[in-house]
Every structure is written in C-alpha cells, then in structure tokens.
Amino acid sequence: SRQITQVYGFYDECMRKYGHAGIWKAFTDLFDFMPLSACIENQIFCPHGGLSPSIDTLDQVRKIDRFAEVPHEGPVCDLVWSDPDDRTGWGMSPRGAGYTFGQDITEQFNHNNGLTLIARAHQLVMEGFLWHHDKALVTIFSAPNYCYRCGNQAAIMEVSETMETNFLQFDPAPRRGEEQQAQKRCPDYFL
C-alpha cells in the first residue's frame, strides 16, 4: 500500500533519487495491478506473504478482483502480509496486518490444492532463504543488506524442469565509493 511504502522508506528513496514523487506514484499505481500470486506447474504456490483463513483453494485466489490498492484486511491483505509461525492454527500478526499460520495450516492448504511447496517472500532472513514447516514452505528474501543496514544475504530460487529447487545466494553490490571485495559466492554460469 502507499502507506507501507512511506513507512518503510520507498517514498523517501524515490524523493532522494529523483527529487519528486512522480516515480513513487507511478510505481504504487503499478503495484495495484501486479498479480497476487503465481503457481509453478500447479505444484509451487508463490504469494508475497502467506495464506489467509478466508482462502482454502487456489480457485478462490484466482477469483479475487486484484486491481486495487491492497486493503488493510481481508484475503488480499492476508496473501500479501501473512507469515508462517511455529504455532498451530491461525494467530494475529504482530505486524498489524494479515495473520500468522502454523505448519498444520500449510500442510492442509498444500494437501487441498495438490501442492508440494509454498514459496513466499516478505520476511527478512539472514541467509536469503529459510525453510519452514518441514520444508512445506520456504521464505526467499531477495533484497541484500535490506535498508542498507541489515547485513543480510539475498537469494533466488531456481526450479528445474523436474521441479527440484536450488537456491542462489548473493551479497549486496558495493555502494558507490566503497572498495569492492572479492565475491564469496558466484553462480557457475557467471564464470
């Protein structure tokens, strides 16, 4: 939402880099049209955040009218802001939007929809990715050194033709004026 982009610095970054809010407005308008999720080969469900107590099936996700700003509550909000937790069932999110959900919820959703995995983002994880719920769900965080201060790695998940997953981890690019350090990890196809 526009409010969230202001709280977490995107608005300020646009103002700093471009001197006006036009770029921020164009991006936030675009965000209203981005898909809520994707599904890879009917096996890997990919929302930004997580699951919703209002949604049991992928067909229910497909029927949502997406073309609007993310509301503060409801199934759209939940898909964008909910997080996995070490609890059972549903819980209130400490973030104030969406829910937390336990392994039982993940397993039930995957079973009901014939899924093998939920791959989501939305939470900082220090090594770029983190498995949850006995590898039924993975968090993938693709922003290295989040907010220029967290020191985290980022990751990208590759999915092979046989649906096997592999994670590429990477460090942030050096900031302008900083000395470049040797790369710790480099995917083979860059050699």
Side-chain angles (χ1 to χ4, degrees):
S1 71
R2 284 151 183 80
Q3 180 183 5
I4 296 295
T5 66
Q6 291 174 331
V7 169
Y8 286 97
F10 183 63
Y11 176 84
D12 292 337
E13 187 172 352
C14 289
M15 291 298 292
R16 212 172 23 257
K17 287 185 179 181
Y18 303 105
H20 60 87
I23 297 294
W24 171 81
K25 183 180 180 330
F27 270 109
T28 55
D29 289 347
L30 175 67
F31 293 157
D32 294 345
F33 289 89
M34 293 182 78
L36 284 173
S37 64
C39 193
I40 302 169
E41 297 293 331
N42 296 314
Q43 292 182 44
I44 303 174
F45 178 56
C46 306
H48 172 72
L51 301 176
S52 171
S54 303
I55 296 174
D56 296 317
T57 67
L58 293 178
D59 283 337
Q60 290 174 298
V61 175
R62 291 181 187 105
K63 290 177 184 174
I64 293 173
D65 181 14
R66 167 61 183 106
F67 305 112
E69 185 170 4
V70 174
H72 296 287
E73 59 184 21
V76 172
C77 173
D78 301 341
L79 289 170
V80 174
W81 300 122
S82 291
D83 298 311
D85 198 359
D86 292 334
R87 63 176 304 118
T88 300
W90 295 100
M92 295 305 298
S93 174
R95 297 177 192 252
Y99 291 87
T100 61
F101 56 95
Q103 182 172 335
D104 58 327
I105 302 297
T106 297
E107 289 173 352
Q108 182 179 7
F109 188 84
N110 285 354
H111 176 77
N112 290 348
N113 293 285
L115 301 169
T116 58
L117 180 63
I118 297 171
R120 43 93 64 183
H122 180 54
Q123 276 182 301
L124 171 68
V125 290
M126 292 307 292
E127 294 188 9
F129 73 98
L130 181 64
W131 289 104
H132 309 269
H133 302 167
D134 286 336
K135 293 194 171 185
L137 184 145
V138 65
T139 297
I140 307 157
F141 199 76
S142 61
N145 195 26
Y146 183 59
C147 291
Y148 304 107
R149 66 175 179 259
C150 292
N152 62 290
Q153 289 182 297
I156 297 171
M157 182 176 78
E158 293 182 323
V159 180
S160 73
E161 290 179 12
T162 61
M163 299 303 292
E164 293 180 31
T165 58
N166 180 50
F167 296 91
L168 303 175
Q169 295 167 287
F170 55 96
D171 295 317
R175 295 181 81 172
R176 287 188 190 122
E178 287 183 0
E179 204 173 295
Q180 264 192 337
Q181 295 177 335
Q183 295 290 339
K184 292 180 186 174
R185 296 173 184 84
C186 187
D188 292 341
Y189 52 80
F190 288 132
L191 297 178

